[in-house]
């Protein structure tokens, strides 16, 4: 499918009304607040105590991490104005911007940043394991903070850009309901299941192109479109089945691949699936374009390996095994399964799109003699028995992308805890190990591209797509951007006069 990227933004500028003639009357200020519909309430507003994307979409406007990313995934300054990785890669030094203060008026200096990270690394934090690589934190002066590591971690810098690494005022109580950060907005109202209102923070030193943001909780996507048509909201996120409802109405539409991927995993411990010819036959037997059209209404970027299209080291391997039923049958015959094969497929009940995809794939596999026993299970069962227990043959699921490729590809490390594919390849192991000890960016890029190629050839999964997000805004609202991490940056959004 042809990817459409129409850059759009959403925001509000102060509107001044002037009388005609040469004399200018006093301006009448109308407060402009951007209204965005979101499907669910956040799981609190403390970024260190949750793994919920709905929280980070809000908190990324209240708090700041030391660094963040632009829409291309490049690191840019946030609370820190600059940073330096040591030559041996065992420390990162950040310099804080001048005059940083929290929304409660307290100074945000290096000691405050250190206290925030100590909280992030403590037992109360759901992300503490992600920051266990930090062995000590030094604060040589008020603007400088140094993070030290015992061993090389080339993904360390990216760890400081995620929204859960936001710097909070660790001395404040009840950040869940009363957030205190250094970002462009402050919370002024939160009515559960109704709305969240943010006002521009007076202490934020950079330009904010609107007066505030209102997030309205609207679980029903059809209701969101109705509200957009009525002018009650300025921005919504919809699914592909509703795209026709917003076309030709003068709205700004952006369809952009996200940082994630969806696949059908194969358990390589199964005797049949341990044979690469069977896995290749399965890939040949399934028309990915048909799956994307049937399940996601055509809104997906077809992929051929475990790598989102938005990351810089992406290699297009989507046609490594193009749809070919006869070749699939030939490979199955060669592998000794000419008379047929039966496999168990487990699908997570909570995710209807994965259930639907599994049904479409199963129908395709039946045509080449592979009988599929479908088991639709609760999410808790899937996590415990399929992902952790690895008791399955086939399963359809999605993976959230990360900023550093290692976090994606480590799932294929033969001795790794995340390798629920039970896939083993000594070259992949070696490349992942070398990646972790290589400081040269160009060499790491070579390793990543080679791993993608190996996975595309040996296919421990049927790699389906990188899902596409569809944002829609009013025609006079601009500036909204999609990012490779799950954040909304509303400060850039503005409304034309």
């Amino acid at each position: 499918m042809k990817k459409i990227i129409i850059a759009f933004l959403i925001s509000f500028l102060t509107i001044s009304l002037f009388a005609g003639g040469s004399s200018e009357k006093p301006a009448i200020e109308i407060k402009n607040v951007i209204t965005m519909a979101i499907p669910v309430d956040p799981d609190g507003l403390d970024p260190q105590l949750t793994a919920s994307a709905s929280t980070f979409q809000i908190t990324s406007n209240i708090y700041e991490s030391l660094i963040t990313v632009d829409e291309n995934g490049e690191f840019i300054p946030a609370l820190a104005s600059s940073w330096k990785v040591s030559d041996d890669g065992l420390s990162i030094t950040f310099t804080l911007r001048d005059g940083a203060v929290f929304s409660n008026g307290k100074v945000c200096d290096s000691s405050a940043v250190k206290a925030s990270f100590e909280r992030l690394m403590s037992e109360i934090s759901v992300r503490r394991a992600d920051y266990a690589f930090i062995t000590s934190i030094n604060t040589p002066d008020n603007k400088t903070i140094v993070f030290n590591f015992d061993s090389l971690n080339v993904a360390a810098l990216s760890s400081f850009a995620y929204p859960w690494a936001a710097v909070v005022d660790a001395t404040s109580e009840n950040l869940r309901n009363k957030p205190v950060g250094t970002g462009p907005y402050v919370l002024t109202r939160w009515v559960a299941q109704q709305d969240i209102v943010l006002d521009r923070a007076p202490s934020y030193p950079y330009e904010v192109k609107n007066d505030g943001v209102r997030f309205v909780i609207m679980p029903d996507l059809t209701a969101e479109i109705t509200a957009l048509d009525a002018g009650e909201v300025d921005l919504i996120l919809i699914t592909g089945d509703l795209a026709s409802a917003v076309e030709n109405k003068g709205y700004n539409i952006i369809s952009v691949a996200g940082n994630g991927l969806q696949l059908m995993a194969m358990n390589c411990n199964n005797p049949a699936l341990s044979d690469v010819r069977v896995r290749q036959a399965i890939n040949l037997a399934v028309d990915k374009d048909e799956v994307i059209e049937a399940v996601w209404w055509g809104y997906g970027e077809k992929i051929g390996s475990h790598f989102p299209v938005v990351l810089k080291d992406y290699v297009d391997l989507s046609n490594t095994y193009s749809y070919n039923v006869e070749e699939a049958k030939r490979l199955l015959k060669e592998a000794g399964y000419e008379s047929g094969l039966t496999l168990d497929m487990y699908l997570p009940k909570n995710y209807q799109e994965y259930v639907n995809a599994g049904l479409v794939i199963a129908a395709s596999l039946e045509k080449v003699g592979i009988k599929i026993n479908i088991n639709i299970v609760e999410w808790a069962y899937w996590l415990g028995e399929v992902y952790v227990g690895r008791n399955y043959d086939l399963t359809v699921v999605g993976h959230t992308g990360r900023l550093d490729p290692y976090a994606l590809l480590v799932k294929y490390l033969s001795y790794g805890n995340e390798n629920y594919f039970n896939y083993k390849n000594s070259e992949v192991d070696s490349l992942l190990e070398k990646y972790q000890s290589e400081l040269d960016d160009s060499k790491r890029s070579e390793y990543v591209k080679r791993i993608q190629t190996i996975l595309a050839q040996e296919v421990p999964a049927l790699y389906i797509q990188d899902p596409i997000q569809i944002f829609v805004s009013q025609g006079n609202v601009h500036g909204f951007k999609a990012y490779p991490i799950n954040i909304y940056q509303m400060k850039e959004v503005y409304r034309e006069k």
Side-chain angles (χ1 to χ4, degrees):
M1 180 192 116
K2 190 174 182 179
K3 181 171 70 175
I4 304 169
I5 301 182
I6 305 172
F8 75 76
L9 281 80
I10 297 184
S11 150
F12 321 106
L13 295 175
T14 302
I15 299 175
S16 296
L17 304 179
F18 300 94
S22 58
S23 60
E24 186 178 283
K25 292 187 177 180
I28 301 173
E29 185 179 56
I30 300 176
K31 191 172 186 181
N32 281 284
V33 174
I34 179 107
T35 302
M36 181 175 186
I38 56 175
V40 295
D41 243 349
D43 178 27
L45 296 173
D46 187 335
Q48 297 181 354
L49 301 187
T50 183
S52 172
S54 62
T55 290
F56 303 133
Q57 290 164 355
I58 307 298
T59 58
S60 57
N61 296 283
I62 299 172
Y63 303 93
E64 293 176 287
S65 47
L66 287 168
I67 58 175
T68 187
V69 293
D70 62 17
E71 60 269 33
N72 298 313
E74 298 294 331
F75 297 121
I76 58 175
L79 181 57
S81 58
S82 63
W83 59 92
K84 179 176 175 52
V85 180
S86 63
D87 291 340
D88 60 7
L90 296 179
S91 69
I92 302 177
T93 301
F94 293 94
T95 301
L96 303 182
R97 70 165 182 256
D98 292 333
V101 295
F102 290 109
S103 58
N104 60 5
K106 293 182 180 178
V107 173
C108 180
D109 56 14
S110 59
S111 62
V113 174
K114 179 179 180 180
S116 181
F117 273 88
E118 288 174 342
R119 184 177 185 266
L120 178 63
M121 297 162 60
S122 73
E123 289 298 316
I124 69 169
S125 169
V126 300
R127 295 284 183 177
R128 61 185 181 276
D130 293 348
Y131 295 85
F133 67 90
I134 300 173
T135 54
S136 63
I137 305 173
N138 300 330
T139 55
D141 58 55
N142 286 341
K143 288 184 59 180
T144 307
I145 183 162
V146 184
F147 294 88
N148 304 298
F149 330 122
D150 277 348
S151 58
L152 181 63
N153 180 355
V154 295
L157 184 61
S158 66
S159 300
F160 295 94
Y162 292 112
W164 48 82
V167 174
V168 307
D169 178 10
T171 67
S172 294
E173 296 181 0
N174 193 19
L175 291 174
R176 182 189 184 281
N177 296 297
K178 298 178 180 179
V180 180
T182 62
Y185 299 95
V186 294
L187 176 70
T188 56
R189 184 176 77 214
W190 179 13
V191 179
Q193 304 304 323
Q194 179 177 306
D195 67 2
I196 298 166
V197 178
L198 309 180
D199 277 354
R200 188 165 53 190
S203 58
Y204 188 70
Y206 305 122
E207 181 184 21
V208 178
K209 295 181 179 179
N210 54 67
D211 293 322
V213 183
R214 180 177 177 234
F215 294 98
V216 183
I217 316 302
M218 301 184 73
D220 184 88
L221 292 181
T222 303
E224 290 189 12
I225 293 176
T226 300
L228 187 73
D229 288 341
E232 296 170 358
V233 299
D234 297 295
L235 173 66
I236 62 175
L237 171 64
I238 63 172
T239 51
D241 58 324
L242 296 173
S244 60
V246 297
E247 293 174 348
N248 303 315
K249 291 184 175 181
Y251 296 134
N252 295 321
I253 300 174
I254 179 172
S255 299
V256 59
N259 186 4
L261 52 93
Q262 292 158 336
L263 54 77
M264 182 184 74
M266 305 185 213
N267 189 343
C268 296
N269 272 358
N270 176 289
L273 296 173
S274 67
D275 190 326
V276 68
R277 294 170 296 183
V278 174
R279 301 197 303 270
Q280 290 169 344
I282 287 173
N283 273 264
L284 289 163
V286 178
D287 186 340
K288 295 180 186 179
D289 291 315
E290 180 183 84
V291 177
I292 295 169
E293 187 66 39
V295 179
W296 290 282
W297 305 277
Y299 285 89
E301 283 281 351
K302 185 169 62 174
I303 57 174
S305 189
H306 195 110
F307 214 80
V309 303
V310 297
L311 297 185
K312 65 179 181 178
D313 290 324
Y314 170 76
V315 180
D316 186 357
L317 299 160
S318 58
N319 292 314
T320 303
Y321 295 103
S322 298
Y323 180 53
N324 190 327
V325 170
E326 294 308 312
E327 179 65 9
K329 290 179 179 178
R330 188 193 69 78
L331 282 173
L332 287 170
K333 180 180 179 180
E334 185 180 301
Y337 296 98
E338 182 179 11
S339 59
L341 170 65
T342 300
L343 298 171
D344 293 326
M345 178 185 289
Y346 287 84
L347 303 171
K349 178 181 179 181
N350 307 60
Y351 294 89
Q352 189 60 47
E353 59 184 323
Y354 301 144
V355 173
N356 294 344
L359 295 174
V360 174
I361 292 168
S364 296
L365 296 180
E366 294 273 358
K367 295 176 183 178
V368 298
I370 301 177
K371 176 177 171 51
I372 303 297
N373 294 324
I374 293 177
N375 303 273
I376 300 176
V377 299
E378 298 291 342
W379 183 239
Y381 180 94
W382 190 93
L383 286 172
E385 293 298 319
V386 177
Y387 186 74
V388 177
R390 305 182 186 182
N391 297 315
Y392 76 102
D393 295 330
L394 307 171
T395 187
V396 180
V397 76
H399 289 268
T400 302
R402 292 293 187 93
L403 294 173
D404 190 90
Y406 184 84
L408 285 166
L409 299 174
V410 73
K411 288 177 170 48
Y412 297 93
L413 189 67
S414 62
Y415 51 86
N417 293 331
E418 298 179 64
N419 184 5
Y420 73 107
F421 309 90
N422 286 311
Y423 172 72
K424 293 177 175 61
N425 181 294
S426 58
E427 185 181 358
V428 169
D429 289 347
S430 175
L431 289 166
L432 286 169
E433 290 162 1
K434 289 198 301 185
Y435 182 96
Q436 279 293 77
S437 60
E438 180 57 67
L439 289 173
D440 188 304
D441 285 342
S442 62
K443 290 182 179 180
R444 289 203 306 272
S445 178
E446 290 176 11
Y447 303 155
V448 167
K449 291 175 181 178
R450 175 59 184 156
I451 292 172
Q452 288 178 68
T453 301
I454 294 171
L455 295 178
Q457 293 168 344
E458 298 200 344
V459 284
L462 170 70
Y463 302 105
I464 304 171
Q465 70 163 4
D466 187 338
I468 284 179
Q469 296 177 302
I470 309 169
F471 293 94
V472 187
S473 79
Q474 299 290 351
N476 66 338
V477 173
H478 307 277
F480 183 86
K481 299 175 183 177
Y483 295 88
I485 52 178
N486 209 337
I487 61 174
Y488 295 150
Q489 293 279 14
M490 306 304 289
K491 66 180 181 179
E492 297 294 327
V493 178
Y494 66 95
R495 178 180 283 114
E496 287 180 338
K497 293 182 179 179

